[in-house]
Amino acid sequence: MEVRGKFSSVGGDSYQRVSPFAPSYVLALESSCDETSVAVLYEGRDIKCNLISSQVELHRKYGGVVPEVACRRHSEVMNFLLEEAILRAGISWGQIEAVAVTHGPGLIGAVLIGVAAAKALSFALECPLIGVNHLEGHLYSIFLEWPDLVPPVLYLLVSGGHTLLVLMREVGVYKVLGGTRDDAAGEAFDKVAKLLGLGYPGGPLIDNMARRGNPAAVCFPRPMLGRGWEFSFSGLKTAVRNFCAGEAAGISPEDICASFQEAVVDVLVDKTVGAAVSFEVENIAVVGGVACNSRLRCRMAEEARRVGCRVVTPSPSLCTDNAAMIARAGWELARMGVVASPFLDAFPNLPLLERRVPT
Ligand code: KG4
Ligand code: ZN
């Protein structure tokens, strides 16, 4: 394979440019947080398998992810998942034409497990290795089920670690419009659930409780509403804590959940639809774990319709962390001629590069 050039910037040493190619079978590994996942993707679209080993039970008693425990479990299950993925996909190891792996952002030890396994596989199978930014994986997850979607796309990427508005002008060209100044939206869900004693992870629990509550019961603040494309959720979480410590008598947990969720959703919907209108983009994609939220899906669709935009969201299993999205991103990168260099490394704070395609 002819090497055509390198990238500069954080993590840039991890990539190199080669002649574009379209691998038939991509094997992908994801281990950036508390899910170990291995997928096999055929022709960029057909998910042959997307195995996910969740560590939720393991971390539940701590009320959050314990990095050292997560790393150990990734290393325990990775080899088993790899063998199982090849079996379920019904192919042989020799048919794999590229190995894609998340190399950040995430828990450094956890990411390293995937990177080490992927490097060994690419060496043994003599096929290209592709380093994928986890955030890029979430962005490309949408194309697995919406193959006809053509950029520009305005993304709301909402997960436990990130809350980002990203404009994808064309495949491989991204502009981050804004992120969170403190807590991510999913983190706020998890922390509020913890302080209400609901359990972990908090997002789905609050989503469920809120169905039986009144979203107008408590008027929690809407942080940074109408003020640019940045977010902030830590003050809202503190407002819920203060409310619970003071005036909560007579207000049910269901009402608190619904009111908190409504405040988060108001901010997410207002900024996303506002950005789509400002940048004149018709397609809005909501991706990441919080995109499973029923109220967010419903309100986003309603508000977008009002301004003539359409909203697309992945199925819930492709919203939360999974390797199929990493495989799709890896397939896109191969078609742009971007593969891993021999120096592929793990980066806990890997930023989203603005350009993946050669200028
Ligand atoms: O994308 P993801 O699996 O992992 C990260 O990259 O962070 O997202 C996990 C986050 C957690 O904070 C979880 O509470 C949240 O997504 N989440 C939800 C829902 N389902 C998952 N938040 C709100 N409503 C949900 N239904
Ligand atoms: Zn994620």
Side-chain angles (χ1 to χ4, degrees):
M1 194 175 289
E2 181 208 352
V3 176
R4 293 185 172 175
K6 298 211 165 179
F7 290 78
S8 56
S9 72
V10 182
D13 249 14
S14 291
Y15 317 120
Q16 61 189 6
R17 288 195 174 123
V18 298
S19 313
F21 64 107
S24 287
Y25 282 104
V26 177
L27 175 71
L29 290 73
E30 155 65 39
S31 64
S32 62
C33 190
D34 61 343
E35 256 108 27
T36 325
S37 181
V38 176
V40 175
L41 186 68
Y42 179 65
E43 301 289 351
R45 171 83 206 281
D46 186 1
I47 302 173
K48 293 295 178 190
C49 70
N50 186 23
L51 305 179
I52 301 168
S53 167
S54 169
Q55 303 181 1
V56 164
E57 288 311 319
L58 198 62
H59 300 285
R60 201 186 295 282
K61 61 174 174 286
Y62 306 108
V65 179
V66 182
E68 177 58 28
V69 175
C71 300
R72 207 166 295 175
R73 181 51 66 91
H74 285 307
S75 64
E76 281 163 7
V77 301
M78 185 60 86
N79 282 354
F80 170 79
L81 286 185
L82 285 164
E83 295 281 356
E84 190 66 18
I86 295 296
L87 268 180
R88 299 247 188 125
I91 58 167
S92 64
W93 286 104
Q95 286 175 270
I96 299 295
E97 290 179 17
V99 178
V101 65
T102 301
H103 76 115
L107 303 171
I108 184 68
V111 179
L112 273 167
I113 307 284
V115 168
K119 278 187 174 179
L121 281 164
S122 122
F123 182 74
L125 301 174
E126 295 179 4
C127 65
L129 177 62
I130 303 169
V132 174
N133 185 310
H134 180 81
L135 304 176
E136 231 172 354
H138 278 302
L139 299 184
Y140 287 106
S141 66
I142 200 72
F143 295 105
L144 288 164
E145 293 171 308
W146 301 86
D148 301 330
L149 183 67
V150 178
V153 180
L154 192 281
Y155 281 90
L156 172 67
L157 195 172
V158 259
S159 67
H162 295 88
T163 304
L164 290 176
L165 281 172
V166 179
L167 176 58
M168 183 190 278
R169 293 184 198 280
E170 55 187 270
V171 172
V173 183
Y174 330 114
K175 183 167 181 55
V176 177
L177 305 177
T180 177
R181 293 187 173 184
D182 39 60
D183 292 353
E187 192 179 353
F189 270 96
D190 294 339
K191 288 178 174 171
V192 165
K194 193 172 179 179
L195 72 89
L196 293 175
L198 299 180
Y200 167 84
L205 297 167
I206 290 186
D207 193 352
N208 261 331
M209 294 271 282
R211 286 173 214 264
R212 286 170 275 123
N214 172 10
V218 189
C219 186
F220 288 122
R222 270 67 175 158
M224 302 188 71
L225 191 69
R227 284 194 282 137
W229 312 129
E230 289 196 315
F231 300 89
S232 163
F233 291 108
S234 117
L236 172 58
K237 167 200 67 193
T238 308
V240 178
R241 192 175 54 216
N242 292 345
F243 179 82
C244 293
E247 319 141 53
I251 308 280
S252 70
E254 286 82 359
D255 282 350
I256 297 177
C257 286
S259 302
F260 158 75
Q261 179 175 273
E262 200 67 6
V264 175
V265 168
D266 269 354
V267 174
L268 294 177
V269 169
D270 187 79
K271 287 187 190 260
T272 307
V273 174
V277 170
S278 290
F279 290 89
E280 297 177 359
V281 179
E282 279 175 20
N283 291 309
I284 293 175
V286 187
V287 297
V290 182
C292 294
N293 186 270
S294 57
R295 186 76 179 149
L296 176 62
R297 283 179 176 244
C298 172
R299 290 274 319 281
M300 191 71 83
E302 266 173 29
E303 297 303 321
R305 207 176 303 124
R306 257 187 242 274
V307 296
C309 292
R310 102 170 149 157
V311 178
V312 289
T313 39
S315 303
S317 65
L318 294 173
C319 286
T320 46
D321 290 349
N322 68 90
M325 69 182 194
I326 303 303
R328 174 67 190 220
W331 183 76
E332 298 282 2
L333 289 170
R335 295 198 316 155
M336 291 175 221
V338 179
V339 298
S341 79
F343 309 107
L344 178 77
D345 209 346
F347 294 89
N349 299 312
L350 187 68
L352 195 61
L353 286 182
E354 287 209 353
R355 287 197 79 86
R356 282 299 222 161
V357 283
T359 40

